[in-house]
Amino acid sequence: MSAGKRQRNRHQRVTLSDVAQAAGVSSITVSRTLREPDKVSPDLRETVLKFVDSMGYIPDFAARALASSDSGIIGVISPALTNHAYLGVMRGIEDRVRSTDLRIQYANTTYDPADEVRQLKQFLAQNPTGIIFANVDTNPAVEDMLRVARCPVVQIMDVSKAPANMAIGIDHKVAGEMATRHLIESGYRRIGLLGGRWDARARRRLEGYTAVMKEAGLYDPALIIALDHMTSVPLGGHLLDRLLQTVPDADAAFCHHDELALGAVFECQRRGIDIPSQFGICGYNDMDYVAVSVPAITSVRIPRYEIGFRAVDMILRALDRGSASPSLVDLGFTLVRRASTARQG
Amino acid sequence: MSAGKRQRNRHQRVTLSDVAQAAGVSSITVSRTLREPDKVSPDLRETVLKFVDSMGYIPDFAARALASSDSGIIGVISPALTNHAYLGVMRGIEDRVRSTDLRIQYANTTYDPADEVRQLKQFLAQNPTGIIFANVDTNPAVEDMLRVARCPVVQIMDVSKAPANMAIGIDHKVAGEMATRHLIESGYRRIGLLGGRWDARARRRLEGYTAVMKEAGLYDPALIIALDHMTSVPLGGHLLDRLLQTVPDADAAFCHHDELALGAVFECQRRGIDIPSQFGICGYNDMDYVAVSVPAITSVRIPRYEIGFRAVDMILRALDRGSASPSLVDLGFTLVRRASTARQG
DNA sequence: CTGTTAGCGCCTTCAG
DNA sequence: CTGAAGGCGCTAACAG
């Protein structure tokens, strides 16, 4: 790694055998006391722990990982870690991990397939205890790596495709269908689709949108507006602007992210377009602000926290069982109707 | 399993010496080829790299970390990782790290001092290459640990207190002063302070607010409203509600986070309070949405991305130098005036 | 329940 | 510029 200072002075750090010597036992006993206390007699355990404490012993994770082929790290790989919607997932992950002695390592691939492979390799090089992968349809190289990984792997967010191993999330296509159908049922006809990057989930929502629009005889490709950017509130305004340029009679928008929806709301306000009578807006994710914005924004609630929490749980269970039986958990979603689509008549 | 086998669970993993054997060199040469290519002759380098590639060799980070006392990991410890404002910092960190072979490990302490110590211990146990610590005034135990850490440590966000090692951020007290002064100069008098948890930075801003309000003869403790919650848009509405209950003639609010400011704006809209003529609102952080909201919200711009980027850079430089000379970088901030405080007269 | 033995895979040191 | 030797700190696999 980087230019490191040499520090071969072994007495800087308290090691397992230092503790063992002081306690008058073998190092393996100290090791066991720390990792499998049940397998050590109570009195020995007590003495050992006393020495561990008084000597300020801190285990060396690298040594542990090397000897046991298990780093104690759960790697989380996401194409858009800095997306606000992931925060909920992170919270769930963290909360589930807190009571264990595992650690989380996050990696952000920014939708770069090469980086995805690189980062995954880096994790694999660490003998991870588990991997959470927030992308489902990725390149085959990644799929292969995930399949042969020697640890439980959970793919999160989307369950519309059979995963290499375990998966938990929702079906974004069905969600897209439901949102679109809701807008149609609310009386809107020229319904635009505002999106950012076409990642796997966005494409699934697009499929849902397209299916329903075609079924209703309302499909028009000009209604689909997307820019290859990270979603943001300002982007929502730009997208609506472009939609109205392209399709002046557009009367609603299904947004791929609540950030876009909020931006669209602001843009409508600037233009004096009334929501919901003149224009309907449906968001996605049900971020906390859509419930309190003026007007409140209809959105699709995704169980983000639960996805994170249970993903870790699935890894833990697989470790307990000693085997990773493939499984797929569809957590479902909820359409939350609010003022932004509550058209009169 | 077979007779006379002494091999342990020798995984199918390709090791350094496998590559060395195949290439007809010693393992240390392969090791050097990978880490310090300059120190290996070009032709040897080429052959070695060919074998590395064809055999699919992936270094074992645990072994590397154990042998070199350097894990190649930069640990990022934050009390509120899932705060939206940190995303910018994360982006900066990631961008600076991408071109190196270092990895980032994030830890979230949720403002729990005990967890802060625990997580820091966990990092220290990994021989981190560097540590980024997003909290300045912490308990003495943490300060001590940071001081004796055998790697560069950068404390980020706040520079109002002398750090254990290096620090980069802004002076939140001065920022609080400037925001408050701006509101006063805009003609507001009963200026509330809306906040969440009183972390170090929030307290600094409070100090700035208090100083300026007292100086102007406008200070009134009833104007300070805070709830010990994570900031959010809905919370902003609640806080404004409470402010108006306690101080019905309040005519402005300085919010500790743009999320709160946005929530306050929505609350005003619901109540039919006009911004900025009846009520002025100033946020903090300059999140992207404040520029496009209706009305646009005045805010204090913090160089979040740069803080993250340069924090990593400082670690890298310290490693290059081989020594961590204490340093403190104040990046400054900017008050961005917008409609929410543009009072006529 | 406790200990012995033998590495895990790599890098540091020190020679050549 | 290259290599041989040894060990980093811990734990798996057997014993007893």
Side-chain angles (χ1 to χ4, degrees):
Chain A
M1 306 282 105
S2 350
K5 297 281 275 189
R6 72 200 261 279
Q7 44 207 191
R8 267 275 198 244
N9 42 358
R10 58 190 103 224
H11 292 297
Q12 200 84 301
R13 167 164 216 153
V14 181
T15 72
L16 201 58
S17 65
D18 290 338
V19 178
Q21 230 167 356
V25 296
S26 72
S27 31
I28 187 67
T29 299
V30 180
S31 173
R32 276 200 272 255
T33 306
L34 263 24
R35 293 175 302 117
E36 314 166 291
D38 305 339
K39 297 193 172 173
V40 177
S41 68
D43 32 338
L44 246 192
R45 198 188 312 159
E46 208 173 332
T47 12
V48 168
L49 285 178
K50 208 179 306 173
F51 279 95
V52 164
D53 219 49
S54 68
M55 299 175 73
Y57 169 68
I58 298 179
D60 183 314
F61 287 140
R64 200 176 257 187
L66 180 56
S68 67
S69 303
D70 178 358
S71 65
I73 289 178
I74 291 183
V76 178
I77 302 181
S78 157
L81 197 64
T82 56
N83 180 319
H84 288 191
Y86 271 104
L87 290 181
V89 180
M90 284 178 62
R91 289 196 191 108
I93 290 174
E94 305 240 340
D95 281 357
R96 183 62 189 88
V97 151
R98 189 154 298 127
S99 61
T100 74
D101 54 0
L102 295 171
R103 279 146 290 140
I104 298 290
Q105 195 167 319
Y106 296 98
N108 193 0
T109 66
T110 64
Y111 289 104
D112 175 355
D115 201 42
E116 210 162 55
V117 172
R118 189 183 68 88
Q119 302 252 32
L120 186 52
K121 232 179 226 171
Q122 291 224 321
F123 275 139
L124 263 19
Q126 291 180 76
N127 292 316
T129 301
I131 288 182
I132 293 178
F133 200 84
N135 208 1
V136 176
D137 84 332
T138 107
N139 50 61
V142 168
E143 290 285 324
D144 286 346
M145 291 173 79
L146 290 179
R147 207 178 312 277
V148 303
R150 286 198 302 257
C151 66
V153 174
V154 183
Q155 290 178 268
I156 60 170
M157 305 317 282
D158 193 283
V159 294
S160 58
K161 191 183 156 194
N165 301 273
M166 300 180 281
I168 184 164
I170 71 152
D171 188 324
H172 292 261
K173 179 177 176 191
V174 179
E177 287 173 2
M178 179 176 271
T180 310
R181 197 166 285 132
H182 166 68
L183 284 166
I184 293 176
E185 286 168 358
S186 300
Y188 300 104
R189 287 294 169 270
R190 299 286 281 160
I191 302 164
L193 181 68
L194 305 186
R197 181 172 283 109
W198 288 115
D199 65 14
R201 292 178 293 287
R203 278 198 300 275
R204 295 289 294 164
R205 289 193 290 271
L206 171 64
E207 287 175 32
Y209 163 88
T210 304
V212 170
M213 288 294 276
K214 282 190 170 157
E215 193 185 290
L218 297 172
Y219 182 73
D220 174 358
L223 288 164
I224 297 164
I225 310 280
L227 284 174
D228 188 28
H229 286 305
M230 193 162 50
T231 59
S232 68
V233 178
L235 182 63
H238 296 147
L239 292 172
L240 180 59
D241 183 56
R242 288 176 65 134
L243 173 64
L244 293 177
Q245 267 174 33
T246 320
V247 188
D249 65 336
D251 62 1
F254 169 37
C255 304
H256 272 330
H257 194 309
D258 284 337
E259 291 177 320
L260 301 178
L262 184 58
V265 165
F266 288 143
E267 184 65 25
C268 284
Q269 291 179 353
R270 270 192 294 278
R271 291 167 175 255
I273 298 174
D274 184 72
I275 302 170
S277 70
Q278 292 177 269
F279 201 88
I281 291 180
C282 177
Y284 202 83
N285 280 326
D286 200 46
M287 304 293 282
D288 58 10
Y289 47 81
V290 295
V292 298
S293 66
V294 180
I297 303 170
T298 294
S299 190
V300 179
R301 179 176 295 161
I302 313 292
R304 295 188 297 279
Y305 179 91
E306 201 177 359
I307 287 175
F309 193 95
R310 292 191 50 180
V312 175
D313 208 62
M314 286 165 85
I315 289 175
L316 261 23
R317 280 178 207 284
L319 291 171
D320 272 355
R321 283 200 313 275
S323 72
S325 52
S327 62
L328 193 144
V329 181
D330 186 340
L331 251 27
F333 55 87
T334 321
L335 177 74
V336 185
R337 295 169 170 76
R338 298 204 179 85
S340 70
T341 57
R343 196 179 223 180
Q344 319 290 357
Chain B
M1 301 299 176
S2 28
K5 271 300 193 69
R6 54 143 208 195
Q7 85 177 20
R8 198 158 138 178
N9 191 15
R10 210 176 176 77
H11 295 123
Q12 295 209 342
R13 165 162 221 150
V14 181
T15 71
L16 203 58
S17 65
D18 291 338
V19 178
Q21 232 166 354
V25 296
S26 72
S27 31
I28 186 61
T29 299
V30 180
S31 173
R32 274 201 272 258
T33 306
L34 263 24
R35 292 175 303 115
E36 313 164 293
D38 305 338
K39 299 194 172 174
V40 177
S41 67
D43 32 334
L44 246 192
R45 199 189 311 159
E46 208 175 329
T47 17
V48 169
L49 285 179
K50 209 179 304 172
F51 278 96
V52 164
D53 219 47
S54 68
M55 299 175 73
Y57 169 68
I58 297 180
D60 182 313
F61 287 138
R64 202 176 253 191
L66 179 57
S68 69
S69 302
D70 179 358
S71 65
I73 289 179
I74 291 183
V76 179
I77 303 180
S78 158
L81 198 62
T82 55
N83 180 321
H84 288 193
Y86 270 104
L87 290 181
V89 180
M90 285 177 62
R91 289 195 192 108
I93 291 174
E94 304 241 339
D95 281 357
R96 184 61 189 88
V97 150
R98 189 154 299 124
S99 61
T100 74
D101 54 359
L102 296 172
R103 280 146 289 140
I104 297 291
Q105 196 168 318
Y106 296 97
N108 193 0
T109 66
T110 64
Y111 289 103
D112 175 355
D115 201 42
E116 211 162 54
V117 172
R118 189 183 68 88
Q119 302 254 31
L120 187 51
K121 232 179 227 171
Q122 291 222 321
F123 275 139
L124 263 18
Q126 291 179 78
N127 292 318
T129 301
I131 287 182
I132 293 177
F133 199 84
N135 208 2
V136 177
D137 84 333
T138 105
N139 50 61
V142 169
E143 290 285 325
D144 287 346
M145 291 172 79
L146 290 179
R147 210 179 309 276
V148 303
R150 285 197 304 253
C151 67
V153 174
V154 183
Q155 289 179 268
I156 61 169
M157 304 318 280
D158 192 282
V159 294
S160 57
K161 192 182 156 195
N165 300 274
M166 300 180 281
I168 184 164
I170 70 153
D171 188 325
H172 292 260
K173 180 179 177 190
V174 179
E177 288 173 1
M178 178 176 271
T180 309
R181 198 165 286 132
H182 166 68
L183 285 166
I184 294 176
E185 286 168 357
S186 300
Y188 300 105
R189 288 293 170 269
R190 299 288 280 163
I191 303 164
L193 182 68
L194 306 186
R197 181 173 283 108
W198 289 114
D199 65 14
R201 293 178 292 288
R203 277 198 301 273
R204 295 289 294 164
R205 288 192 290 272
L206 172 63
E207 287 174 32
Y209 162 88
T210 303
V212 170
M213 288 295 275
K214 282 192 170 158
E215 192 185 291
L218 297 172
Y219 182 73
D220 175 357
L223 288 164
I224 297 166
I225 311 279
L227 285 174
D228 189 27
H229 285 305
M230 194 161 48
T231 59
S232 68
V233 178
L235 181 63
H238 295 148
L239 291 172
L240 180 60
D241 183 56
R242 288 177 65 136
L243 173 63
L244 293 177
Q245 267 175 31
T246 319
V247 187
D249 64 337
D251 62 1
F254 169 36
C255 305
H256 273 330
H257 195 307
D258 284 337
E259 290 176 322
L260 301 178
L262 183 59
V265 164
F266 288 143
E267 184 64 24
C268 284
Q269 291 178 353
R270 270 191 295 277
R271 291 165 175 255
I273 298 174
D274 185 71
I275 303 171
S277 70
Q278 292 178 268
F279 201 87
I281 290 179
C282 177
Y284 203 82
N285 280 325
D286 200 46
M287 305 293 283
D288 58 10
Y289 48 80
V290 296
V292 297
S293 66
V294 180
I297 302 170
T298 295
S299 190
V300 179
R301 180 176 296 160
I302 313 293
R304 296 188 296 280
Y305 179 91
E306 201 178 0
I307 288 176
F309 193 95
R310 292 190 52 179
V312 176
D313 208 63
M314 287 166 84
I315 288 176
L316 261 24
R317 280 176 207 283
L319 291 170
D320 272 355
R321 283 200 313 274
S323 73
S325 53
S327 62
L328 193 144
V329 181
D330 185 340
L331 252 27
F333 54 86
T334 321
L335 177 73
V336 186
R337 293 168 171 75
R338 298 202 179 85
S340 70
T341 57
R343 195 179 223 179
Q344 319 289 356

